[in-house]
Amino acid sequence: MSDSARTQPPATRAPQPLAICRAELADESATSALAGALAPLLETGFVMFLSGELGSGKTSFARALLRALGHTGRVRSPTFTLVEPYNLSSFELYHFDFYRFTTDDEWRESGFDEFIGGPCVALIEWPERGAAGLPAPDLHLRLAYRDAGPQGRTAQGEAYSQRGLACLNAACAAGCCNSA
Ligand SMILES: Nc1ncnc2c1ncn2[C@@H]1O[C@H](COP(=O)(O)OP(=O)(O)OP(=O)(O)O)[C@@H](O)[C@H]1O
Ligand SMILES: [Mg+2]
């Protein structure tokens, strides 16, 4: 082994998605349609990351997903509380928002790791803020503004597991995807 190989830390590679799909979300009803296509595929242990800049529609998507899962009450943004729990008929769902984490220590001390991949569904806004401690999700949805009009958004879905892949297939079957 060369000296440099001995002193270098092992290379860590970001996991590669099994598949990627893109969707144009012309307005909020398109966001709701996407959420409605994915909702039946969620099950205990499912982890979904929601990325995108401020106001790109992460909470709106989560709200539509919860509506599709039968939740009729309020859906508050967890930006200030960090997590909002929902006791749904099939499973518990925890809606996290890590925007306010500024260091990896804050994430580690939060104790949230118990819930992620545990016996519940986890939706995580701003996963980048807890990235060092987070496992790969089943599905990573990346939302972005679209140039045309204030309502336009785009979504890119990345599957990292077979059940994430099933979500992408369901979204495409529902006519939500523009390209795979
Ligand atoms: N196609 C669309 N899909 C979703 N939301 C849309 C769309 N078009 C416009 N909007 C609006 O964009 C806003 C998205 O706000 P939302 O709170 O969901 O963003 P966010 O990504 O969660 O932001 P933050 O990073 O601050 O948590 C809402 O006011 C919503 O009505
Ligand atoms: Mg939000």
Side-chain angles (χ1 to χ4, degrees), residues 81-171:
T81 53
L82 296 177
V83 61
E84 292 286 338
Y86 297 91
N87 196 350
L88 304 175
S89 56
S90 312
F91 43 70
E92 294 202 33
L93 184 151
Y94 291 87
H95 180 192
F96 296 96
D97 187 331
F98 295 159
Y99 182 71
R100 284 153 61 84
F101 284 145
T102 51
T103 65
D104 285 349
D105 283 349
E106 283 180 279
W107 148 255
R108 269 194 293 274
E109 286 159 15
S110 71
F112 291 156
D113 55 327
E114 277 186 41
F115 295 90
I116 294 164
C120 58
V121 171
L123 297 183
I124 306 172
E125 296 189 37
W126 292 99
E128 300 80 7
R129 304 279 169 110
L134 285 173
D138 293 287
L139 185 68
H140 193 158
L141 206 59
R142 298 179 189 275
L143 295 157
Y145 289 89
R146 208 173 60 161
D147 293 339
Q151 294 214 305
R153 302 285 189 272
T154 59
Q156 175 168 300
E158 300 168 359
Y160 290 91
S161 70
Q162 289 303 317
R163 54 189 179 184
L165 202 52
C167 285
L168 295 188
N169 290 338

Side-chain angles (χ1 to χ4, degrees), residues 29-90:
S29 68
T31 300
S32 296
L34 177 62
L38 302 186
L41 279 299
L42 300 193
E43 59 182 26
T44 297
F46 197 102
V47 178
M48 190 185 304
F49 287 179
L50 297 171
S51 292
E53 57 187 285
L54 292 170
S56 57
K58 301 178 293 297
T59 300
S60 300
F61 174 84
R63 189 171 289 124
L65 197 63
L66 281 155
R67 294 270 175 268
L69 290 165
H71 175 73
T72 53
R74 278 190 70 181
V75 176
R76 295 182 184 83
S77 170
T79 303
F80 293 103
T81 53
L82 296 177
V83 61
E84 292 286 338
Y86 297 91
N87 196 350
L88 304 175
S89 56
S90 312

